[in-house]
Amino acid sequence: MSASWVTAAIEGASREVTIRFGAGHALMASQPDDERKGARAPAPFDLLLAGLGACTAITLKQYAAARNWSLEVLEVDLEIVSWRSSTSVTRLLSFEGDLDSNQREELLAVADKTPVTLLLTHALRIRTELA
């Protein structure tokens, strides 16, 4: 896997962050005041789920295509669930296409091995330094 880099910048009293990606793309993120009121862009946890969902969808679509399976549409619904001191992600896969039960189960197993899934479920070390 190649290295990725992202720059997130915020100025003044703004609650909106500009996120720039190495490939020249950009997007916004914001933290709503409470219960999503006033949000003008996705919240940070939404972006985390978006990355996991995108990785899952791309990996499973490529996996099915390499096997000539008829996977027409793949939808990945994600939700962060917090309960007491525990937090987990629920991922629901929906397939459209001529897949048998064995193929569906194989795709389910592959979802747990996607690159972003493995990164999030193994010990992730984050080193923070001053620029």
Side-chain angles (χ1 to χ4, degrees), residues 88-108:
S88 64
V89 172
T90 300
R91 177 171 45 191
L92 178 65
L93 305 177
S94 300
F95 306 118
E96 287 182 26
D98 189 22
L99 298 171
D100 63 34
S101 61
N102 289 336
Q103 291 168 327
R104 294 168 63 86
E105 288 297 320
E106 193 167 333
L107 289 170
L108 180 65

Side-chain angles (χ1 to χ4, degrees), residues 51-123:
L52 177 58
C55 182
T56 302
I58 291 166
T59 302
L60 296 185
K61 186 68 172 168
Q62 289 175 336
Y63 188 88
R67 285 151 185 75
N68 293 317
W69 293 353
S70 176
L71 177 56
E72 302 302 321
V73 177
L74 166 61
E75 189 168 294
V76 182
D77 291 305
L78 297 141
E79 179 182 24
I80 290 181
V81 179
S82 294
W83 187 75
R84 295 190 185 183
S85 63
S86 176
T87 301
S88 64
V89 172
T90 300
R91 177 171 45 191
L92 178 65
L93 305 177
S94 300
F95 306 118
E96 287 182 26
D98 189 22
L99 298 171
D100 63 34
S101 61
N102 289 336
Q103 291 168 327
R104 294 168 63 86
E105 288 297 320
E106 193 167 333
L107 289 170
L108 180 65
V110 170
D112 286 334
K113 298 175 184 151
T114 65
V116 173
T117 300
L118 293 175
L119 179 71
L120 293 173
T121 57
H122 288 78

Side-chain angles (χ1 to χ4, degrees), residues 127-131:
R127 184 178 66 223
T128 304
E129 302 174 350
L130 295 175

